[in-house]
Amino acid sequence: MADDATQELSVTPDAVAGGSTHVSDEVVEKIAAAAARAVPGVAELGGDVARFFNTVLDKIGLDQVGDARRGCSAHVTNGAAVINLVIVIDAGRPVPEVTDAVRARVTEAVEAYGLRADEINIRVDDVAMGAPSAPTV
């Protein structure tokens, strides 16, 4: 009789639980910031204030705090993202060339995660005049 009470259940690929998936704004910000940093001609991300605080954090040994999303904000609704970037470009690089490359790279990166990039707004905040100097301690 013990055998009668034991029954195996078969699991098929069709037996997938329902539910919803939400990708947070912070995840999209990290994806977009990493993609933008990888574009030649992008020296840094973030406005003057963010870069100032990052310099201070560098000097006290907290150089990775806030770096992943610095210079980027995103809002995700129904799988579509609106992304705002603040960048610093290298001196001598044409702004349209750099910003077009940033849009293409960020769109590709966001779409690789199964999302749609509806808008990628870019503000060029500064121009990097030469190689960045190493922070002094």
Side-chain angles (χ1 to χ4, degrees):
M1 287 262 186
D3 289 337
D4 292 337
T6 305
Q7 181 181 7
E8 286 190 30
L9 298 174
S10 63
V11 179
T12 64
D14 295 332
V16 176
S20 63
T21 302
H22 174 75
V23 178
S24 73
D25 296 349
E26 291 83 7
V27 169
V28 175
E29 289 166 0
K30 288 180 181 181
I31 294 166
R37 279 188 186 92
V39 173
V42 174
E44 292 186 68
L45 266 64
D48 292 335
V49 173
R51 292 192 319 272
F52 169 77
F53 281 115
N54 198 59
T55 300
V56 171
L57 292 171
D58 286 348
K59 288 183 180 186
I60 61 173
L62 299 173
D63 56 341
Q64 297 301 314
V65 175
D67 275 354
R69 298 182 355 216
R70 181 169 45 99
C72 183
S73 66
H75 182 70
V76 182
T77 306
N78 298 326
V82 174
I83 300 163
N84 299 300
L85 293 162
V86 179
I87 67 171
V88 177
I89 63 170
D90 291 324
R93 299 299 295 257
V95 172
E97 178 182 299
V98 174
T99 56
D100 287 350
V102 168
R103 278 192 184 89
R105 177 85 49 103
V106 170
T107 299
E108 180 181 326
V110 168
E111 289 179 352
Y113 281 84
L115 299 168
R116 188 176 73 246
D118 277 357
E119 284 182 40
I120 301 173
N121 303 305
I122 301 171
R123 180 167 57 95
V124 178
D125 187 68
D126 204 353
V127 175
M129 304 301 280
S133 60
T136 57
V137 181

